C-alpha cells in the first residue's frame, strides 16, 4: 500500500509516517516510480506506536516494541527489552501518582481550612465579593 492509504488506515497523517521513517521506526520500500510502499506488517507497527503514545510513552520508548515486532514476534511486548520499558514506565507512573496524591491531600487541607475560616468569620453575613478589574487595554508608550 502507499503512504496515503497507510496513514488513513492507521488514523494518522503522511507527515507523521515520514517522521517515523526519519526516526528509523518505519521502513518504506520504494516502488519503481519512487513511491513509498508499505505492507500490512507496517500497519501493525504504527498501531503499536500509537497505542504506546496514547499511554504516555515517548516515541523513543516505542523502539523496543517496534524492534520486537520486526523480529517476527506476534506482539511488540514479547521481548525482554519491551518488558524493561514497561517496568520503567510503571515506575514513572507510580511516582506521578504519588506526587498527585500528595498535592491532592494539600489542596484538600487548604479547602477545609478555607471553609472553616469562611464559616467562622461572619455567619449569615454578606456574600464575599470578588472584584475583577477591567484590563487596561491602552498600551503605555513602547
Amino acid at each position: 500500500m502507499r503512504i496515503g492509504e497507510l496513514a488513513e488506515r492507521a488514523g494518522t497523517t503522511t507527515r507523521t509516517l515520514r517522521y517515523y521513517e526519519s526516526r528509523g521506526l518505519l521502513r518504506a520500500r520504494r516502488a519503481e516510480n519512487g513511491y513509498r510502499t508499505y505492507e500490512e506488517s507496517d500497519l501493525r507497527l504504527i498501531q503499536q506506536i500509537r497505542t504506546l503514545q496514547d499511554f504516555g510513552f515517548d516515541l523513543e520508548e516505542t523502539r523496543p516494541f517496534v524492534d520486537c515486532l520486526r523480529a517476527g514476534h506476534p506482539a511488540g511486548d514479547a521481548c525482554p527489552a519491551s518488558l524493561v520499558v514497561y517496568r520503567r514506565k510503571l515506575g514513572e507512573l507510580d511516582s506521578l501518582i504519588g506526587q498527585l496524591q500528595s498535592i491532592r491531600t494539600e489542596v484538600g487541607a487548604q479547602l477545609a481550612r478555607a471553609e472553616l475560616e469562611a464559616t467562622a468569620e461572619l455567619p449569615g453575613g454578606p456574600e464575599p465579593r470578588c472584584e475583577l478589574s477591567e484590563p487596561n487595554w491602552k498600551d503605555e508608550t513602547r
Side-chain angles (χ1 to χ4, degrees):
M1 74 187 95
R2 290 188 20 204
I3 193 167
E5 182 183 351
L6 179 61
E8 184 177 330
R9 289 184 61 195
T12 192
T13 64
T14 57
R15 182 178 179 177
T16 297
L17 297 181
R18 284 187 202 100
Y19 180 67
Y20 291 168
E21 186 178 342
S22 75
R23 299 292 305 267
L25 293 168
L26 184 62
R27 295 182 187 145
R29 295 144 209 74
R30 295 287 180 163
E32 287 182 20
N33 59 8
Y35 290 151
R36 289 174 170 90
T37 62
Y38 300 92
E39 297 179 10
E40 203 66 30
S41 60
D42 295 314
L43 177 60
R44 179 102 170 92
L45 293 176
I46 302 306
Q47 290 168 333
Q48 178 77 76
I49 291 168
R50 291 179 50 83
T51 297
L52 291 168
Q53 286 191 304
D54 287 346
F55 292 159
F57 289 71
D58 67 35
L59 193 56
E60 194 55 37
E61 288 174 318
T62 69
R63 189 172 301 280
F65 298 85
V66 169
D67 291 344
C68 191
L69 285 171
R70 275 199 192 122
H73 295 278
D77 55 8
C79 297
S82 302
L83 300 177
V84 168
V85 174
Y86 271 153
R87 287 185 192 102
R88 184 174 51 238
K89 183 56 75 175
L90 278 177
E92 290 172 13
L93 291 170
D94 288 342
S95 176
L96 288 172
I97 289 168
Q99 291 171 12
L100 288 172
Q101 286 174 330
S102 176
I103 292 168
R104 187 192 189 293
T105 299
E106 289 191 35
V107 170
Q110 290 292 332
L111 172 62
R113 181 200 48 78
E115 287 175 334
L116 281 174
E117 288 178 7
T119 57
E121 285 184 9
L122 295 172
E127 290 286 322
R129 292 184 356 195
C130 291
E131 296 181 25
L132 297 175
S133 61
E134 288 291 319
N136 184 359
W137 296 108
K138 295 180 183 177
D139 273 316
E140 296 179 17
T141 56
R142 292 184 186 199

